[in-house]
Amino acid sequence: MQKVLILEDDPELVELLEIHLKDLGCDTTAVNDGQEGLRTAKDRRFDLIILDIMLPGLNGMEVCRKLRQTDRHTPILMLTALSEEIDKIMGLETGADDYLTKPFSIREFIARVKVIFRRNEEYPAPDAFNAPSAVIRFDGLEIDLDKRKVTQNELRVDLSPKEFDLLVLLASNPGKSYSRKRLLNLVWGYDFEGYEHTVNSHINRLRGKIEADLSAPKYILTTWGVGYRFNEEL
């Protein structure tokens, strides 16, 4: 049974979401305050956190930011009545995995939730593993796919979920160039057309964590006029 935390202060919306999540077989917990929601998310383990941006006590952006300081794996689906481009970008770059603008259709909500649950099955939390499996290695960089763990010269590199997914995609296909739009589609799970600069910011943060010289990257290269690729000569 998937455990879902709903951080939303609209009781009618909470009731509606709970009905449909329970139809999917989920066990739901609802909290209407940001501070309390943050404590609940830290005290218990959830398979999905549904997070409204406009919360009393502590807004959703801050809740997301604080959660990602200690929890890089639990998927976060943000909800907001705001529709400005900057709000969507801030949500994604704060660490949210997906984003829905109110009002949204229940059919779209369910589709997004199902996509996230499928990802959970493909990439379980690290402590769900008892033995190592597939590992990608390139010149001091080691990517453990099952444990979602990255080390460089035997030192742990802490990546956000999206940074890890970007690295795995590129490293699994060295030499193959991906456009920003294609990376959005593959890593975020659907098309964020118009938000290609979100990829740029994630790539920049990823490079900052694994590259010794940002002016001359060794692992993640830029294919001018196209996008990015992983160095096939390593």
Side-chain angles (χ1 to χ4, degrees):
M1 180 178 289
Q2 305 276 9
K3 297 184 182 298
V4 181
L5 174 61
I6 304 172
L7 303 185
E8 167 63 61
D9 64 340
D10 182 340
E12 293 184 359
L13 179 56
V14 169
E15 182 180 4
L16 182 63
L17 297 182
E18 285 188 317
I19 288 172
H20 289 280
L21 287 168
K22 287 176 180 177
D23 285 344
L24 294 176
C26 299
D27 177 19
T28 63
T29 299
V31 178
N32 61 9
D33 177 85
Q35 289 282 10
E36 182 184 350
L38 180 62
R39 287 193 293 269
T40 302
K42 288 185 173 182
D43 290 343
R44 297 164 57 185
R45 179 166 180 171
F46 293 93
D47 299 293
L48 171 62
I49 297 173
I50 298 171
L51 176 61
D52 184 29
I53 287 184
M54 304 301 290
L55 286 171
L58 191 67
N59 70 58
M61 292 288 191
E62 284 301 311
V63 171
C64 185
R65 187 175 291 109
K66 290 179 181 295
L67 278 176
R68 285 298 182 236
Q69 291 173 359
T70 56
D71 178 359
R72 298 178 178 83
H73 301 284
T74 303
I76 296 175
L77 171 59
M78 272 194 170
L79 308 179
T80 182
L82 304 175
S83 59
E84 293 296 324
E85 179 181 35
I86 187 63
D87 299 307
K88 185 169 187 176
I89 294 170
M90 285 180 64
L92 293 172
E93 296 190 358
T94 298
D97 295 86
D98 206 344
Y99 190 104
L100 274 175
T101 301
K102 301 175 186 176
F104 51 84
S105 72
I106 287 298
R107 178 177 294 181
E108 182 179 12
F109 169 77
I110 292 172
R112 301 287 183 89
V113 169
K114 286 181 176 179
V115 166
I116 290 173
F117 286 164
R118 283 199 298 271
R119 291 179 191 162
N120 285 354
E121 293 175 358
E122 294 174 1
Y123 302 108
D127 59 4
F129 294 87
N130 296 315
S133 185
V135 176
I136 299 173
R137 295 183 177 89
F138 286 102
D139 194 16
L141 186 69
E142 184 172 295
I143 309 165
D144 189 315
L145 303 182
D146 287 344
K147 293 183 178 180
R148 292 182 68 84
K149 176 182 177 182
V150 176
T151 57
Q152 188 173 32
N153 299 322
E154 300 184 355
L155 296 176
R156 180 73 176 256
V157 179
D158 289 323
L159 302 181
S160 72
K162 284 293 176 284
E163 290 166 356
F164 180 86
D165 291 342
L166 276 169
L167 180 58
V168 169
L169 176 61
L170 294 170
S172 298
N173 301 277
K176 181 175 181 179
S177 295
Y178 291 88
S179 68
R180 293 164 181 80
K181 182 176 180 180
R182 182 63 174 157
L183 288 172
L184 281 171
N185 185 272
L186 291 171
V187 175
W188 273 260
Y190 59 94
D191 199 350
F192 271 92
E193 186 173 359
Y195 294 91
E196 286 84 356
H197 43 290
T198 298
V199 171
N200 294 349
S201 62
H202 279 77
I203 289 289
N204 289 338
R205 286 199 296 271
L206 179 56
R207 280 174 166 169
K209 294 177 180 181
I210 66 172
E211 301 286 2
D213 183 357
L214 292 179
S215 65
K218 179 170 72 171
Y219 300 107
I220 299 176
L221 308 181
T222 298
T223 302
W224 299 108
V226 179
Y228 302 100
R229 71 185 189 279
F230 197 89
N231 191 349
E232 68 273 28
E233 297 181 359
L234 295 177

